[in-house]
Every structure is written in C-alpha cells, then in structure tokens.
Amino acid sequence: QCGDPSDDGRVDAADVSALRGFLAGSLAALSAPEKCDVGGSAGCDLVDVVRLRRALAGHASGIAHVCAVFLP
C-alpha cells in the first residue's frame, strides 16, 4: 500500500516518522522505499511527508496511490 514505507501493513504515524528520519539522514534506509511516494514525484521527498500527515489528520489531498507497487 502506498504510504507505508515502514512496511507494517498500515499507514500511520510510524510511516511519517520513518520517512522524516530517512529524509533527514538519521535513518539509513526504509523497509519499503517503493511505498513512500504518495504525491506522484516518483521518489521519497518532503511532499510525501506532508501528504501522509494530511491524510492521517483526515484532510483532503492526502494519499495518492501512485507508488511503484500500486501501479501496473
């Protein structure tokens, strides 16, 4: 599922934390980096962090299923 770079089967605050740590350089690797793209940028970036946080808060413009594992 797109938005689950921690690869634990659900999209939650742990995914936001993991992605932020990875982008900041304090986390060496993500468990499933192919699942972090939720904004359509074809990679992991700050836009994905913002979109994940918005989705978890129940706001529109959250997760877009555009990650590599979701697309055919």
Side-chain angles (χ1 to χ4, degrees):
Q1 165 175 351
C2 298
D4 184 22
S6 67
D7 207 27
D8 62 1
R10 59 187 181 273
V11 177
D12 56 19
D15 297 301
V16 175
S17 179
L19 186 50
R20 287 179 64 191
F22 175 72
L23 293 173
S26 60
L27 181 64
L30 295 168
S31 297
E34 68 279 4
K35 295 181 179 181
C36 71
D37 183 17
V38 294
S41 63
C44 304
D45 58 27
L46 187 57
V47 171
D48 300 312
V49 173
V50 171
R51 290 181 72 104
L52 281 173
R53 290 184 69 192
R54 288 183 59 79
L56 292 173
H59 297 289
S61 299
I63 296 172
H65 292 286
V66 293
C67 64
V69 297
F70 190 80
L71 299 175

